[in-house]
Amino acid sequence: MGFLLHDQKNTMIMSFVLVPLLLILNMHYYMLPALADSKRNVYIVYMGKRQHLDVELLTRTHHDMLVTVLGSEETSEDSIVYSYKHGFSGFAAKMTKAQALKLSITRCDSCHTQSIYKVQTTRSWDYLGLSSTSLSNLLNKSKMGNGVIIGLLDTGIWPELEVFNDENLGPIPSRWRGVCESGQHFDGAKACNRKLIGARYFISGLEAEYGQPYNTSENDDYMSPRDSSGHGTHTSSIAGGSFVANASYDGLGLGTVRGGAPGAHLAMYKVCWRLYGGVCADADVLKAFDEAINDGVDVLSVSLAADIPLYSEVDHRGSIPIGSFHAVAKGITVVCAAGNAGPRAETVQNTAPWILTVAASTVDRSFPTPITLGNNQTIIGQAMFTGEDTVSAALVYPEVSDLMPPRNCESLSSNDDWMAGKIVLCFASDYNQSLLNDAILSVKAAGGLGVIVSRSSSNYYPYAMNFPCLQVTYETGTQILYYIRSTSNPQVRLSPSRTHIGKPVSTNVAYFSSRGPSSNVPAILKPDIAAPGVQILAAIPPFDETTTGAFAFLSGTSMATPHVSGIVALLKSLYPDWSPAAIKSAIITTGLTSHQSGGPIFAEGEPPKLADPFDFGGGIVNPNSAADPGLVYDMNTENYVHYLCAMGYNNSDIFQLTEHPVVCPSKQPSILDVNLPSITIPNLKKPTILTRTVTNVGPVNSKYKASVEFASGINVAVRPETLIFSSRTKAISFSVMISSAHNVNAGYYFGSLTWTDGVHVVRSPISVRTEVGESFF
């Protein structure tokens, strides 16, 4: 069972942490300044699974514990920030380091010092095969997610937008226990409807740590669930927005905007605030998980992540793995962003095996923009240059002496008056969207009329809006530079962009998307899946001056995450009894590893490469196949305990998470036997045998045969090679022996194990790295 009310040895105190928010790509981030009250900080006392249903008794117990160290009821009442009493037991309170130490001596096994983290559609659904005009796809089979409740932990929501209308929606589910909380410029009685059925905000943890009230005027925010940044509104409309026709960004991407599950209900939990660029307090995030579990959500979409290095799953400074564990234990699928730290390896975040971790990919849409040089040569770049008018001007490049470093894009300044009245060609030296945006704004401030950015990335990411800014490759940029150097009066004409869908635009894993292997648990494949996260057109608050109307293009794994959350909602509506692990397995084992036209999927980088499981997990999400996966690798709390024991965590740490006392076996179990829909061996030293169990969710009488694909030198044998299911046999275990013929330490080799019955294709990605003797990597 969980924390015994008077067992003083099984309480964990964790310090206040700020969880970063994955906003649009590469924003400026700031650390918090010195806190106003350095003697009192927020500590989180995590007590694990709640022992009983009496929330008043739990709250009283939390206060009594504080009284033992603070000395009085009054001080305890003033100190406590949150009482966690629904999904799990614990509390957040302001204490001095000495008080926290005193509490830890008698009440917990360890105590942590404070850590602070930095802040971090018209096409995509048709691209994924979920057109609203098809009667046979998952969207319509699931009645568009009817009756499912999607909760989002984010920056809030703008409820008046048309995309959140409740026309033709069914009644609010009777199991719903949430509220629509009123606040600044947010009338709960009017803001919610049958689409947005709940809205809460959490800021006590942030205010307690910051040491003063949050100033909404200074930070252009609202003390309510209302969204001030647009991030939460954007993600909400992607996950479960209603149909809105004729949506576009000033004519680009014109079409019908909607969410993945337009028949689902939404609930917003605002946990992120615009203090110093955007922060989300750990205590607030954990409280949002607690309330969402009690409210009755079916899916939680969490576009938040911590920086590398990551905390372990039992280190209570991480609210997302802790909160998500309790949510999954209640049958709630938790979908999280992989992070925006790519393309570097080992940067993936949210790596707990019970979380569905999402990478970002592109869609088959581009915005070709003609660049006509003075010699009448026309070159096609990429941009979001809207309107009907062309821009013509002299074309300049910042030439410097060979003895000086070149003037790259990032070096451009508003003091460069030579740019006034001209269009500037520059070469980007680094992939840093924020620095490039600053440079482009500098050109505008200096009186420039436009910018042509030459960079190595083949995919276009929007720059500063409402200013002509085009992107070309280094090769094309060099051709333009040759033209500039060939004439004394170079000229250029920029024409408006247009929208192109389909070939020859290919699908890639986005440059910024964080990559595996997992830095803290390399034997657990992460990310799990990839979904559209580049140039996603979705709703934003109408006040945003950088956009036209109420729609904007944003990029990031934050945009990919609600795509998968919407798909999970559809699956949950179709299969209400499926566990989070079964849904996750269905999504991973049916992912696309090649284009629908048959070509390979690449991962953007320097240089680009063929995508592998560390880029996109099982592949690009394939919703219609996930609705009929044939077999699933199911898991429950017992399987996750196996994982925690395999990680070597002690029994008391595991006890915090689980419903029952845990005693790990004296022989540490193998992490390779965790029943995941993937196989990852980071240090194969000798032939290794692992086991998996699959459950039949297809036709009762089915026969599956195994096939293996792998690079030469890695040998994979499956026993048995044939699985026969019947009304009596619904789940079958099998073993996989993997060995290597390589005699040197090298990188990972990739392959797959596939079960097929002639109709269903159940593919598990395999990643193996050989280790011979002592590793020097």
Side-chain angles (χ1 to χ4, degrees), residues 683-755:
N683 52 354
L684 182 65
K685 298 180 179 179
K686 61 182 180 180
T688 297
I689 298 176
L690 53 91
T691 60
R692 290 289 188 271
T693 301
V694 287
T695 302
N696 182 26
V697 293
V700 173
N701 298 306
S702 300
K703 181 179 179 180
Y704 284 83
K705 292 186 177 181
S707 63
V708 174
E709 292 184 3
F710 225 103
S712 61
I714 302 294
N715 303 306
V716 181
V718 183
R719 297 290 183 273
E721 295 181 340
T722 301
L723 306 178
I724 300 175
F725 296 92
S726 65
S727 58
R728 292 187 177 183
T729 305
K730 298 181 179 179
I732 299 177
S733 296
F734 61 90
S735 64
V736 181
M737 185 174 77
I738 301 178
S739 60
S740 174
H742 298 291
N743 56 12
V744 294
N745 296 331
Y748 279 89
Y749 291 85
F750 302 102
S752 63
L753 162 63
T754 301
W755 294 101

Side-chain angles (χ1 to χ4, degrees), residues 3-7 11 47 52 54-68 76 80 83 89-91 107:
F3 173 75
L4 299 176
L5 204 55
H6 300 292
D7 182 350
T11 304
M47 301 160 67
H52 50 74
D54 190 336
V55 295
E56 292 185 3
L57 180 57
L58 280 176
T59 302
R60 182 67 262 163
T61 303
H62 300 159
H63 280 282
D64 289 345
M65 289 179 66
L66 269 179
V67 169
T68 62
S76 171
I80 200 157
S83 182
S89 180
F91 60 90
R107 301 274 179 167

Side-chain angles (χ1 to χ4, degrees), residues 491-760:
Q491 299 288 313
V492 67
R493 182 175 71 250
L494 308 180
S495 300
S497 306
R498 59 185 177 86
T499 302
H500 175 84
I501 292 174
K503 296 179 181 179
V505 182
S506 62
T507 299
N508 301 318
V509 176
Y511 188 103
F512 59 79
S513 187
S514 291
R515 312 295 167 89
S518 168
S519 60
N520 58 342
V521 193
I524 303 296
L525 177 64
K526 291 290 177 174
D528 293 306
I529 200 73
V534 177
Q535 300 173 12
I536 303 302
L537 184 69
I540 61 160
F543 60 84
D544 195 325
E545 295 179 357
T546 65
T547 61
T548 301
F551 300 96
F553 287 101
L554 297 181
S555 297
T557 51
S558 283
M559 284 68 248
T561 299
H563 275 89
V564 174
S565 300
I567 293 167
V568 168
L570 299 180
L571 293 172
K572 189 68 176 179
S573 179
L574 193 61
Y575 304 110
D577 296 329
W578 277 16
S579 69
I583 291 174
K584 177 181 173 180
S585 173
I587 288 174
I588 292 174
T589 59
T590 58
L592 294 173
T593 57
S594 61
H595 294 295
Q596 295 173 349
S597 60
I601 294 173
F602 281 81
E604 295 176 358
E606 296 178 355
K609 66 179 183 65
L610 290 174
D612 61 51
F614 293 152
D615 301 313
F616 61 7
I620 308 297
V621 67
N622 184 7
N624 292 317
S625 293
D628 185 21
L631 306 175
V632 296
Y633 294 79
D634 207 357
M635 295 177 71
N636 54 28
T637 302
E638 183 178 342
N639 297 105
Y640 297 128
V641 169
H642 172 105
Y643 161 77
L644 296 169
C645 289
M647 286 294 292
Y649 300 137
N650 63 53
N651 293 335
S652 62
D653 284 338
I654 300 173
F655 179 65
Q656 300 293 320
L657 289 173
T658 59
E659 191 171 353
H660 304 288
V662 172
V663 178
C664 290
S666 56
K667 182 181 178 180
Q668 186 171 326
S670 171
I671 196 170
L672 301 180
D673 289 329
V674 178
N675 200 44
L676 295 167
S678 59
I679 297 172
T680 305
I681 305 179
N683 52 354
L684 182 65
K685 298 180 179 179
K686 61 182 180 180
T688 297
I689 298 176
L690 53 91
T691 60
R692 290 289 188 271
T693 301
V694 287
T695 302
N696 182 26
V697 293
V700 173
N701 298 306
S702 300
K703 181 179 179 180
Y704 284 83
K705 292 186 177 181
S707 63
V708 174
E709 292 184 3
F710 225 103
S712 61
I714 302 294
N715 303 306
V716 181
V718 183
R719 297 290 183 273
E721 295 181 340
T722 301
L723 306 178
I724 300 175
F725 296 92
S726 65
S727 58
R728 292 187 177 183
T729 305
K730 298 181 179 179
I732 299 177
S733 296
F734 61 90
S735 64
V736 181
M737 185 174 77
I738 301 178
S739 60
S740 174
H742 298 291
N743 56 12
V744 294
N745 296 331
Y748 279 89
Y749 291 85
F750 302 102
S752 63
L753 162 63
T754 301
W755 294 101
T756 181
D757 63 351
V759 176
H760 303 91

Side-chain angles (χ1 to χ4, degrees), residues 398-406:
E399 297 275 13
V400 295
S401 165
D402 291 341
L403 300 178
M404 298 176 62

